[in-house]
């Protein structure tokens, strides 16, 4: 007989006593259950006790969290959070060093529990920890546990970071600036400073007074703290006021950037990141890849102001840039006399330079984006790669009018395109790891990238034998060439050039044709009929593949964990497809996780539905409002009896599609992800080609071909994993 839904069978432990096996009635007050357990061991004062999980994080159980208790869970009777907080607060102020150390160890562990954290904070515990740090009397392991506990407590968001004192900031900054400090202390100090900067505008200014990007560069050579150091650099960069991140360009011919931008562009910083991180002797983990991506985005965002600045046709300093472009292309060495004689020919020269407005080319730069950024790129090409610039301009000016590639117009449109591809001006996406190593190999990576791409555009224009009417078509091909090359993750600008050389116009046509064939664009009636007949078989094959992947399981990151010490949990489907097993992990696993290590489970028969995106409970919470669009697109939840949920945020779009499709297949519902549709189209095309090879002509027999009983009898192999 199935037990009532409100009854869960659990085991409760107490040191030195036999465990109690009880049936916990979830309708009874938790205090009543604890009193009964205490009576079983003849313990008085039940109000001084509480229940905690015996395994995993060992969190306290409250009236709000008790619904998460499952049948077979092992619990532990412990002193109440308030009593534990009071005892630890007294012990960390003990005169005995050993007693204080043990108390801080336990505090660092318990501080992750929100129930305990609330009690400890209410007793002014954070102030006590801050004073211990400010005193400067704690060192080594004792200081590391103090900082760990402090950071864990603050991460709950119960109190504001604005309450932190200046002396505390100075002390933490001092640990970062000291040449010889224990790695564990450095890690926690950097993490605390990062949280200060991200969570408080006023603290940003205080931290920025104590810590500079230049001081953090020295820590990038230490592999144990690289991620923490780059995370703090990103935080300082992200929260810097606009006047610190960008300054006006008083002279466009000699651009001056802010102290922050200048520091980030320093050869020393770039070379340290390149040699000790990107080309280091250990693989780049997900968190480091994310921080490199953030640094890349924030660096490119320095271009936003120029991108959104219109040219003032009446500004002589800005007009001088256009005069300089004309001089370099046509006058060689600056000759005032020659320049005077050529003034009447300026209109002709501007036409040869490819500007849309031949009379006043300044008007070409009044549209944003790309604004003045396009002119900056053109000037860099003309000054740094002068031979290339002159060759492009003169080569096109010597062509017949209908085939000339307008350099000015192309440079402006190309700059706009590159801004779109690299998402200049947009904030970094949480969880995105899409950084490009080549942008860390050159001090002027953006400008060099433009120079490579403008040469590509000129080459593609010639290969396509394009005319002015083909301008948009050429730009589409160039966009495809650039995005395909970037997807290959070239490690340097030179390697980018090699990738682009292999993506000529003819190669793009071949790739497009190949992709069209693989997607099966045939629309003849026999093909459509054959497609409809084999679709159910292929769809069933995809369902089986999805379910097999669910049985292998996947690792998920804890939502909202911004700490460098990542926390994970794992979920997988039982081999008989009847139970979902899941549980917390200390680190990302290598391969499958045995069912024995996954302490929690959900019977598939209890699952009511699967919801995605903004319909997920964890996307409706207040904290989730800060999540970006990418996190929202990767979120899904399993709703199961009675009114409980298991919330997921997939690590990527592939895992999202695998799990949502697999769960729908498990519940006997139609799959609908883009990945399923893509899989379906690919497999149908493969099967159709195999079957059509056996037909003398493209006709459909009156009776459909026999359907194989097992997927393994297909003539092709499909293993998405």
């Amino acid at each position: 007989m199935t037990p009532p839904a409100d009854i869960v069978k659990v085991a409760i432990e107490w040191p030195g006593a036999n465990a109690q096996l009880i049936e916990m009635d979830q309708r009874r007050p938790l205090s009543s259950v604890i009193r009964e357990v205490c009576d079983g061991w003849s313990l008085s004062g039940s109000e001084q006790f509480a229940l905690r999980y015996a395994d995993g994080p060992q969190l306290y159980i409250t009236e709000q969290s008790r619904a998460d208790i499952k049948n077979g869970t092992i619990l532990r009777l412990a002193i109440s959070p308030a009593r534990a907080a009071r005892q630890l607060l007294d012990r960390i102020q003990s005169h005995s060093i050993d007693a204080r150390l043990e108390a801080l160890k336990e505090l660092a562990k318990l501080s992750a529990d929100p129930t305990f954290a609330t009690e400890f904070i209410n007793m002014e515990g954070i102030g006590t920890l801050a004073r211990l740090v400010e005193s400067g009397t704690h060192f080594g392991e004792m200081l590391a546990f103090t900082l760990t506990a402090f950071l864990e407590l603050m991460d709950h968001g119960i109190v504001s970071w604005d309450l932190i004192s200046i002396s505390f900031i100075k002390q933490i900054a001092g640990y970062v600036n000291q040449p010889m400090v224990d790695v564990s202390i450095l890690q926690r100090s950097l993490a605390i400073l990062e949280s200060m900067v991200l969570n408080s505008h006023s603290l940003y200014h205080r931290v920025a007074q104590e810590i500079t990007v230049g001081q953090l560069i020295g820590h990038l050579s230490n592999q144990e703290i690289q991620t923490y150091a780059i995370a703090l650099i990103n935080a300082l960069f992200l929260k810097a006021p606009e006047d610190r991140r960008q300054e006006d360009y008083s002279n466009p011919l000699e651009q001056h950037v802010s102290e922050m931008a200048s520091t980030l562009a320093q050869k020393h910083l770039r070379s340290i990141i390149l040699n000790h991180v990107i080309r280091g002797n250990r693989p780049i983990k997900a968190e480091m890849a994310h921080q490199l991506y953030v640094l890349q985005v924030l660096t490119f965002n320095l271009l936003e102001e120029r991108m959104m600045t219109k040219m003032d046709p009446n500004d002589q300093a800005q007009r001088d840039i256009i005069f300089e472009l004309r001089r370099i292309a046509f006058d060689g060495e600056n000759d005032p006399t020659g320049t005077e004689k050529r003034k009447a020919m300026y209109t002709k020269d501007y036409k040869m330079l490819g500007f849309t407005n031949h009379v006043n080319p300044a008007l070409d730069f009044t549209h944003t984006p790309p604004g003045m950024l396009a002119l900056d790129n053109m000037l860099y090409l003309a000054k740094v790669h002068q031979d290339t610039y002159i060759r492009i301009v003169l080569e096109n000016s010597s062509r017949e009018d209908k085939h000339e590639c307008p350099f000015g117009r192309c440079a402006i449109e190309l700059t706009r395109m590159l801004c779109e591809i690299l998402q200049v001006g947009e904030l970094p996406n949480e969880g995105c790891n899409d950084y490009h190593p080549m942008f860390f190999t050159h001090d002027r990576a953006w400008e060099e990238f433009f120079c490579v791409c403008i040469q590509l555009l000129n080459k593609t224009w010639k290969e396509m034998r394009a005319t002015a009417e083909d301008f948009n078509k050429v730009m589409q091909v160039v966009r495809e060439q650039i995005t395909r090359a970037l997807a290959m993750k070239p490690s340097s600008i030179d390697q980018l050039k090699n990738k682009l050389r292999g993506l000529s116009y003819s190669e793009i046509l071949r790739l497009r044709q190949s992709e069209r064939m693989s997607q099966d664009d045939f629309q003849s009636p026999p093909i459509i009929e054959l497609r409809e007949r084999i679709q159910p078989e292929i769809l069933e094959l995809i369902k089986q593949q999805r379910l097999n992947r669910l049985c292998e399981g996947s690792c998920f990151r804890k939502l909202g964990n911004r700490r460098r010490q990542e926390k994970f949990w794992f979920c997988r489907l039982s081999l008989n497809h009847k139970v979902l097993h899941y549980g917390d992990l200390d680190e990302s696993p290598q391969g499958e996780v045995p069912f024995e290590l996954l302490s929690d489970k959900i019977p598939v028969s209890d699952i009511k539905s699967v919801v995605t995106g903004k319909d997920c409970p964890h996307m409706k919470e207040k904290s989730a409002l800060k999540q970006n669009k990418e996190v929202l697109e990767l979120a899904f939840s399993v709703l199961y009896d009675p009114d409980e949920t298991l919330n997921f945020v997939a690590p990527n779009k592939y895992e999202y599609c695998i799990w949502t499709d697999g769960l729908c297949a498990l519940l006997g519902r139609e799959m609908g992800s883009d990945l399923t549709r893509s899989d379906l189209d690919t497999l149908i095309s493969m099967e159709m080609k195999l079957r059509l090879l056996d037909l003398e002509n493209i006709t459909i027999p009156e009776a459909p071909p026999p359907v194989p009983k097992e997927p393994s009898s297909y003539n092709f192999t499909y293993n998405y994993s």
Side-chain angles (χ1 to χ4, degrees):
M1 180 177 178
T2 304
D6 293 324
I7 302 296
V8 289
K9 297 181 178 181
V10 299
I12 301 179
E13 299 176 338
W14 175 254
N18 294 326
Q20 295 187 38
L21 303 178
I22 69 170
E23 293 185 352
M24 182 185 293
D25 188 344
Q26 295 285 49
R27 294 167 298 184
R28 292 175 57 194
L30 195 57
S31 58
S32 176
V33 175
I34 295 173
R35 187 183 307 113
E36 181 181 316
V37 172
C38 288
D39 291 343
W41 282 313
S42 301
L43 298 174
S44 59
S46 61
E47 66 278 0
Q48 297 294 318
F49 293 93
L51 292 177
R52 291 170 58 184
Y53 288 99
D55 301 318
Q58 301 181 12
L59 300 177
Y60 278 102
I61 295 169
T62 64
E63 291 289 356
Q64 292 74 31
S65 65
R66 65 184 297 182
D68 296 331
I69 302 175
K70 305 294 186 299
N71 280 318
T73 301
I74 301 177
L75 305 179
R76 178 175 298 157
L77 186 67
I79 60 174
S80 67
R83 186 179 171 190
R86 173 52 60 192
Q87 289 182 359
L88 285 176
L89 193 58
D90 293 338
R91 288 166 57 196
I92 63 176
Q93 300 176 80
S94 168
H95 294 293
S96 170
I97 295 179
D98 292 338
R100 192 183 307 173
L101 177 60
E102 290 302 315
L104 287 170
K105 283 183 180 179
E106 189 174 350
L107 178 62
K109 182 178 179 180
L110 279 176
S111 294
D113 189 307
T115 307
F116 170 84
T118 301
E119 297 291 345
F120 190 81
I121 291 172
N122 288 339
M123 297 176 185
E124 302 296 329
I126 286 184
T128 301
L129 292 180
R131 286 190 292 273
L132 291 176
V133 174
E134 293 169 10
S135 68
T137 57
H138 283 50
F139 303 97
E141 194 177 22
M142 187 176 294
L143 177 58
F145 285 120
T146 303
L147 297 178
T148 301
F150 179 86
L151 187 56
E152 291 282 3
L153 292 167
M154 294 300 296
D155 270 355
H156 292 293
I158 299 172
V159 295
S160 171
W161 282 90
D162 288 320
L163 300 176
I164 303 302
S165 68
I166 296 178
S167 59
F168 181 85
I169 297 173
K170 289 181 177 293
Q171 191 68 36
I172 296 296
Y175 299 138
V176 175
N177 294 329
Q178 288 178 17
M180 298 295 293
V181 178
D182 186 75
V183 168
S184 60
I185 295 174
L186 260 180
Q187 289 176 341
R188 289 153 179 80
S189 298
L190 290 167
I192 289 172
L193 292 173
E194 180 198 1
S195 293
M196 288 181 185
V197 171
L198 292 176
N199 288 285
S200 172
H201 179 71
S202 62
L203 289 186
Y204 159 78
H205 294 283
R206 295 175 182 175
V207 173
Q209 292 173 358
E210 303 294 332
I211 298 289
T212 66
V213 175
Q215 290 171 317
L216 296 173
I217 292 176
H219 294 304
L220 296 179
S221 58
N222 187 332
Q223 293 182 335
E224 299 297 327
I225 57 175
Q226 286 173 341
T227 307
Y228 298 84
I230 294 181
L232 180 53
I233 290 174
N234 287 336
L236 289 167
F237 195 5
L238 183 64
K239 294 300 180 178
E242 289 297 326
D243 59 347
R244 289 288 302 279
R245 274 188 283 164
Q246 286 277 26
E247 293 180 351
D248 292 333
Y249 297 105
S250 56
N251 182 353
L253 290 174
E254 296 180 2
Q255 300 172 1
H256 298 284
V257 295
S258 66
E259 177 187 357
M260 179 67 75
S262 178
T263 302
L264 286 171
Q266 283 181 24
K267 183 177 180 179
H268 184 46
L269 172 61
R270 180 187 59 75
S271 63
I272 286 288
I273 292 177
L274 181 66
N275 296 323
H276 292 275
V277 180
I278 297 176
R279 296 176 180 172
N281 56 9
R282 66 165 58 180
I284 294 179
K285 296 183 179 180
E287 183 59 32
M288 174 60 82
H290 173 67
Q291 294 300 337
L292 291 174
Y293 155 77
V294 172
L295 182 58
Q296 171 186 293
V297 170
L298 296 177
T299 303
F300 283 142
N301 281 356
L302 291 170
L303 305 168
E304 183 181 9
E305 183 173 331
R306 292 295 279 175
M307 179 182 75
M308 301 306 295
T309 299
K310 296 181 180 180
M311 185 171 185
D312 182 0
N314 298 318
D315 189 321
Q316 186 60 43
Q318 295 180 358
R319 291 169 61 88
D320 285 344
I321 304 177
I322 298 178
F323 295 152
E324 183 75 357
L325 290 174
R326 193 208 62 78
R327 185 195 66 77
I328 294 174
F330 302 115
D331 286 353
E333 295 300 323
N334 193 5
D335 182 359
T337 304
T339 302
E340 289 295 327
K341 292 179 180 179
R342 291 184 58 89
K343 280 186 177 180
M345 302 178 63
Y346 277 8
T347 298
K348 179 183 177 181
D349 290 346
Y350 291 146
K351 181 180 179 181
M352 293 173 67
L353 278 171
F355 290 113
T356 303
N357 193 311
H358 307 155
V359 178
N360 187 4
L363 297 177
D364 286 13
F365 302 94
T366 57
H367 299 285
T368 57
M372 290 294 291
L373 184 59
L375 192 57
D376 298 340
N377 287 340
M378 296 166 68
L379 183 64
Y380 180 87
L381 175 67
K383 282 185 167 292
V384 179
H385 300 280
Q386 191 170 114
D387 291 342
T388 299
Y389 168 70
I390 295 174
R391 177 179 56 80
I392 291 175
V393 173
L394 297 184
E395 184 180 281
N396 284 290
S397 63
S398 63
R399 294 178 187 168
E400 54 182 305
D401 288 348
K402 70 174 184 177
H403 284 295
E404 67 178 11
C405 177
F407 170 74
R409 182 184 177 191
C410 288
I412 292 170
E413 291 302 316
L414 178 63
T415 302
R416 179 186 289 111
M417 179 197 298
L418 297 183
C419 289
E420 292 173 357
I421 292 174
L422 297 177
Q423 300 178 331
V424 175
E426 298 185 18
L427 289 176
N429 288 324
E430 181 68 28
C432 182
N433 303 332
D434 189 25
Y435 79 98
H436 296 280
M438 71 173 184
F439 291 128
F440 293 88
T441 63
H442 201 285
D443 293 332
R444 305 295 293 273
W446 165 264
E447 291 86 349
E448 289 294 321
F449 184 45
F450 168 83
C451 293
V452 171
C453 292
I454 194 67
Q455 295 178 72
L456 168 71
L457 195 159
N458 189 60
K459 173 175 173 286
T460 302
W461 186 283
K462 289 188 292 185
E463 292 174 348
M464 294 178 66
R465 297 186 58 80
T467 63
E469 290 76 18
D470 300 320
F471 185 87
N472 291 333
K473 293 180 182 178
V474 175
M475 296 305 295
Q476 290 174 4
V477 173
V478 171
R479 176 186 283 269
E480 186 171 346
Q481 290 171 314
I482 294 172
T483 53
R484 286 181 182 272
L486 288 177
M488 300 177 194
K489 299 293 182 184
S491 60
S492 65
I493 298 293
D494 288 337
Q495 195 174 105
L496 173 68
K497 295 177 183 178
N498 293 332
K499 301 292 184 186
L500 290 173
R501 274 195 286 268
L503 289 170
S504 63
Y505 175 56
S506 59
E507 177 65 11
I508 292 295
L509 291 179
R510 188 193 69 78
L511 290 171
R512 287 178 174 178
Q513 179 67 17
S514 175
E515 290 168 359
R516 278 197 295 268
M517 292 294 292
S518 66
Q519 293 170 4
D520 184 28
D521 285 338
F522 302 115
Q523 297 298 321
S524 63
I527 295 294
I528 294 174
E529 186 176 347
L530 179 57
R531 181 186 183 89
E532 292 175 350
R533 287 187 179 180
I534 66 177
Q535 180 166 329
E537 306 170 28
I538 304 299
L539 189 58
E540 181 60 31
L541 183 62
I542 293 175
K543 287 182 179 179
Q544 291 301 319
Q545 186 267 344
R546 297 293 194 265
L547 292 174
N548 290 340
R549 282 286 289 109
L550 262 62
C551 291
E552 295 174 9
S554 298
C555 180
F556 301 90
R557 194 171 68 170
K558 290 275 189 178
L559 183 64
N561 176 40
R562 298 188 311 164
R563 301 279 300 284
R564 304 285 74 78
Q565 300 94 340
E566 290 193 284
K567 299 179 181 178
F568 304 91
W569 66 287
F570 197 88
C571 186
R572 63 182 298 193
L573 179 66
S574 63
L575 300 180
N576 61 7
H577 297 178
K578 292 185 177 181
V579 179
L580 275 178
H581 296 263
Y582 65 97
D584 292 336
L585 300 175
D586 293 331
E587 58 184 18
S588 181
Q590 301 295 325
E592 293 185 7
V593 175
F595 291 108
E596 296 77 17
L597 298 181
L598 304 176
S599 57
D600 300 309
K601 57 186 178 180
I602 301 172
V604 172
S605 58
D606 289 349
I607 298 178
K608 295 187 290 187
S609 64
V610 177
V611 295
T612 61
K614 62 182 179 181
D615 295 326
C616 297
H618 57 312
M619 293 292 105
K620 296 179 181 179
E621 299 172 359
K622 183 177 180 181
S623 60
L625 295 176
K626 300 179 181 178
Q627 300 297 327
N628 56 45
K629 180 180 177 182
E630 183 169 332
V631 173
L632 194 65
E633 291 176 347
L634 298 177
F636 62 98
S637 298
V638 172
L639 310 184
Y640 60 100
D641 288 330
D643 290 307
E644 302 180 62
T645 63
L646 184 61
N647 298 318
F648 299 75
V649 174
N652 50 55
K653 190 66 175 177
Y654 170 71
E655 289 291 338
Y656 171 85
C657 294
I658 287 290
W659 275 85
T660 52
D661 285 347
L663 290 169
C664 288
L666 197 62
L667 300 178
R669 298 167 188 172
E670 183 180 356
M671 301 182 293
S673 73
D674 293 338
L675 190 56
T676 301
R677 300 275 77 81
S678 174
D679 290 349
L680 188 60
D681 290 342
T682 301
L683 285 176
I684 287 176
S685 298
M686 293 169 64
E687 176 70 357
M688 286 174 66
K689 290 173 184 176
L690 290 171
R691 293 192 180 186
L692 290 173
L693 288 175
D694 296 331
L695 299 178
E696 294 182 356
N697 48 54
I698 305 178
T699 57
I700 300 298
E702 295 182 1
V707 179
K709 296 181 180 180
E710 297 294 335
S712 60
S713 62
Y714 281 105
N715 294 327
F716 59 91
T717 301
Y718 178 70
N719 183 355
Y720 212 96
S721 62

